[in-house]
Amino acid sequence: MRKKYAFLTIFLFIQCVEIYQCTHLKGTFSSSDFFKFLIKFGVQKTAGHSPDTSQGYIFGNITSKSHLFVPITFVVLRRSHFIDYYKNRVIFDKDEACNRMFSKLNKRAYDPQCSHDGKDYLRRIPCPTGELCEDEDDQWHVVNNHQFTYVFKDFKEPAFWYVSMVACYHNTTTCEWHHYDSHSPYEINYDIWLVNGSPNSSAFSTYQFSFDRQSTLEMYILFWLCYLVLVPLQCHAVKIQKHPVTRLFTASLVLDFVALSLNVIHTLKFAMNGEGYEKIQMIGDICDILSRTSFMLLLLLLAKGWAVTRLELTWKPLVFAIWLCYGIVHILLYVWNLTEVDIIEDVDEYQTWPGWLIIVFRSLIMCWFLYELRTTMLYEHNTQKLNFLLHFGASSLVWFIYLPILALIALHVSALWRFKLLLGITYSADCFAYCVMAHLLWPTRSEQYFLLKGPSSVDLEELDEFNEAPHIVNNSYTSLSSAGSIDVAHYEDQPKSKPAHA
């Protein structure tokens, strides 16, 4: 049954991958808005052997129930042209804003009266209901049942294209731009699709996402299948060994699995309708943050020797305060990235000042982690526990240090590739860390070094005094190994004889 279930799950995922559609925008542009930015979309490089099925397309319908005495403008530009156009939108005098926004586009954008050699960047909107937009002069170039179509062909490299609407109109007599200042309210309804690959061919189902997000669904599904094996194994382990460390690790792993599942649901839905579930994606991202912070807490507790060399945790307020601060800063970084970073900027979350703050914070916690781990190992004399701490420290250091290195590498990677790089390495590092930790904490192995049942308070005090004795602290690891290790259980089993002299 399990094999059939796994096969069915994989089959359904493959079917979902095969019914990809494209990015879908639906909404309204109101007269209260002078400018509306719609989306940044990455168009892939056109393949030389099959240009018709690998081009980028933007197509759709833009209509209005209101009557506009002159049409306003729908604009699709590359970044090199979009920056000047975009930054002038904030000018208070909107007539002057329109002139400056389109000053460099007057000769670069095609217009039948003013610029015959320009490129196809602009459309007059709204389009007549049930008809093609007036700038579309060949209906065979327009996707069926739609009013306009942009086609992008670039054999050199992929590129971002920026889509927007602005309440400016072109005076074809003077070739100047003016603000459409309407005293009566108007609304323009748009229904737009963006796709890599021809929508009229079967290849349309292959690259529906923006170029910078292509292959992310396959990546999510791959890691989801890995967790689908790891999570049940760990749940079985926590049933066998009911220990605080095992429970905390299981909670962190389950949170990460939930986060990944929510992202898979959002991405699958986006693949099917071009929209997805944004709220589910946000919940998934927050669960992912909580998972990583709880995993960091586990690493700090183990580095201090909790449940391995001691039952009582020292400096509890400091440990939990640092953990709480890191979690809050991480969530604030996520919110900052959603609300404060302009979408047209080619930066990721680790190229903002909150991003650098979280990198520095993580690096400081890593240094503290190493210090606590070294201190714990100096006071430990059990060979099996030292072996565990050594392997635990090596794998945890990899998990701590990968993000600062990745952030530095991402500075030199194009925004067209950066998201996939960050996503792939981040999930790979997390999955690797969870697999190693599950291996180290497996019940048959961890029972050799976990303090599953602590000694009585009297015995514990005697044990602490013994551990801190000069002949124990100063001895090297080699001499201790040769003399024989002394652990908690062995010490408890020895009969307590009375001193020779009262």
Side-chain angles (χ1 to χ4, degrees):
M1 282 299 292
R2 290 183 178 179
K3 290 183 178 179
K4 290 182 179 179
Y5 174 75
F7 175 78
L8 180 61
T9 303
I10 296 172
F11 176 76
L12 289 174
F13 278 148
I14 294 173
Q15 291 301 311
C16 289
V17 170
E18 290 179 350
I19 58 172
Y20 283 172
Q21 293 187 22
C22 63
T23 302
H24 187 197
L25 303 176
K26 215 172 177 183
T28 301
F29 178 65
S30 174
S31 57
S32 59
D33 304 320
F34 169 70
F35 174 87
K36 185 170 186 177
F37 178 75
L38 298 180
I39 196 171
K40 177 175 74 172
F41 187 77
V43 176
Q44 67 188 13
K45 177 182 175 181
T46 306
H49 61 278
S50 56
D52 293 337
T53 58
S54 59
Q55 298 172 142
Y57 284 80
I58 298 178
F59 56 94
N61 300 306
I62 303 178
T63 58
S64 178
K65 295 180 180 179
S66 306
H67 174 71
L68 280 71
F69 63 88
V70 289
I72 59 173
T73 311
F74 180 73
V75 185
V76 179
L77 297 172
R78 288 189 69 154
R79 181 176 178 80
S80 55
H81 297 148
F82 184 77
I83 297 300
D84 287 333
Y85 160 83
Y86 181 74
K87 70 181 182 181
N88 286 311
R89 78 196 189 285
V90 296
I91 297 175
F92 181 76
D93 185 346
K94 296 309 177 186
D95 258 351
E96 180 65 20
C98 288
N99 265 318
R100 292 195 183 184
M101 291 173 75
F102 290 93
S103 59
K104 293 185 178 180
L105 293 173
N106 261 338
K107 294 182 179 180
R108 295 174 180 172
Y110 172 78
D111 186 271
Q113 281 77 33
C114 301
S115 179
H116 296 281
D117 299 326
K119 295 186 177 180
D120 191 24
Y121 294 144
L122 312 178
R123 292 289 186 277
R124 296 179 179 90
I125 57 172
C127 306
T129 303
E131 301 178 18
L132 299 181
C133 295
E134 59 181 281
D135 296 300
E136 298 289 353
D137 52 2
D138 188 349
Q139 65 176 358
W140 299 108
H141 290 163
V142 180
V143 177
N144 292 336
N145 301 318
H146 295 89
Q147 296 177 303
F148 71 90
T149 298
Y150 287 83
V151 182
F152 307 98
K153 185 183 294 185
D154 192 334
F155 293 99
K156 295 182 179 179
E157 58 183 2
F160 281 119
W161 288 83
Y162 300 80
V163 184
S164 64
M165 294 180 178
V166 62
C168 297
Y169 68 92
H170 196 202
N171 187 324
T172 55
T173 304
T174 62
C175 293
E176 293 181 352
W177 288 88
H178 302 281
H179 174 221
Y180 184 89
D181 189 9
S182 173
H183 298 291
S184 58
Y186 67 85
E187 286 189 349
I188 293 178
N189 303 310
Y190 57 87
D191 187 352
I192 303 169
W193 298 82
L194 304 94
V195 63
N196 283 299
S198 173
N200 295 319
S201 71
S202 58
F204 169 60
S205 62
T206 308
Y207 297 113
Q208 83 299 337
F209 289 102
S210 173
F211 179 79
D212 59 315
R213 302 299 174 106
Q214 287 177 6
S215 303
T216 54
L217 177 57
E218 292 87 341
M219 207 178 296
Y220 281 131
I221 291 175
L222 175 63
F223 288 110
W224 188 85
L225 291 174
C226 292
Y227 280 80
L228 199 61
V229 176
L230 184 58
V231 171
L233 288 175
Q234 184 56 36
C235 290
H236 173 69
V238 81
K239 287 182 180 179
I240 297 175
Q241 186 184 69
K242 295 179 173 62
H243 191 272
V245 170
T246 312
R247 288 173 177 172
L248 180 56
F249 171 66
T250 305
S252 176
L253 178 61
V254 170
L255 266 175
D256 203 29
F257 179 66
V258 170
L260 186 55
S261 299
L262 293 176
N263 279 314
V264 167
I265 291 172
H266 161 73
T267 315
L268 279 172
K269 184 63 175 177
F270 186 91
M272 289 186 282
N273 67 0
E275 297 174 9
Y277 298 116
E278 291 187 2
K279 291 183 178 179
I280 286 182
Q281 183 191 29
M282 291 178 65
I283 295 172
D285 291 341
I286 292 173
C287 286
D288 190 48
I289 293 171
L290 295 176
S291 168
R292 289 174 189 168
T293 52
S294 60
F295 187 68
M296 178 177 285
L297 175 64
L298 173 65
L299 299 185
L300 293 175
L301 294 177
L302 288 175
K304 290 182 71 66
W306 178 63
V308 178
T309 63
R310 58 172 65 94
L311 290 174
E312 289 298 323
L313 181 64
T314 58
W315 296 97
K316 284 183 184 179
L318 178 61
V319 173
F320 286 96
I322 290 176
W323 167 68
L324 186 61
C325 288
Y326 181 81
I328 292 173
V329 171
H330 212 316
I331 292 176
L332 289 177
L333 167 62
Y334 177 72
V335 174
W336 171 277
N337 194 50
L338 287 179
T339 59
E340 298 299 325
V341 177
D342 198 329
I343 193 172
I344 72 161
E345 297 293 335
D346 285 341
V347 298
D348 61 80
E349 57 185 329
Y350 299 113
Q351 293 179 1
T352 60
W353 71 262
W356 288 115
L357 177 62
I358 200 76
I359 292 294
V360 172
F361 200 179
R362 184 186 179 100
S363 300
L364 292 175
I365 292 176
M366 178 183 68
C367 295
W368 186 46
F369 165 83
L370 291 174
Y371 170 78
E372 291 291 350
L373 183 62
R374 179 178 178 274
T375 303
T376 300
M377 293 181 72
L378 286 176
Y379 280 87
E380 181 54 60
H381 53 271
N382 182 288
T383 306
Q384 292 174 331
K385 293 182 180 181
L386 281 171
N387 188 48
F388 162 74
L389 291 172
L390 184 63
H391 288 86
F392 160 73
S395 59
S396 300
L397 183 60
V398 172
W399 185 82
F400 269 110
I401 205 170
Y402 87 88
L403 190 58
I405 295 175
L406 180 60
L408 292 174
I409 294 174
L411 289 172
H412 306 285
V413 177
S414 167
L416 288 159
W417 304 94
R418 191 183 302 137
F419 179 81
K420 288 180 280 191
L421 173 72
L422 290 171
L423 184 71
I425 295 182
T426 298
Y427 272 104
S428 297
D430 289 346
C431 186
F432 170 76
Y434 282 121
C435 289
V436 171
M437 191 62 66
H439 171 74
L440 293 175
L441 300 183
W442 192 253
T444 55
R445 185 175 295 100
S446 61
E447 65 184 6
Q448 301 172 20
Y449 39 77
F450 270 176
L451 298 177
L452 298 176
K453 292 182 180 180
S456 64
S457 59
V458 177
D459 293 340
L460 186 59
E461 290 176 3
E462 295 177 0
L463 178 61
D464 288 339
E465 291 176 3
F466 176 79
N467 285 338
E468 294 173 4
H471 70 282
I472 294 298
V473 175
N474 295 329
N475 278 349
S476 65
Y477 174 76
T478 307
S479 63
L480 285 170
S481 300
S482 61
S485 62
I486 301 175
D487 56 25
V488 176
H490 178 73
Y491 184 74
E492 286 180 345
D493 292 336
Q494 299 303 315
K496 298 180 177 62
S497 58
K498 293 183 180 179
H501 301 285

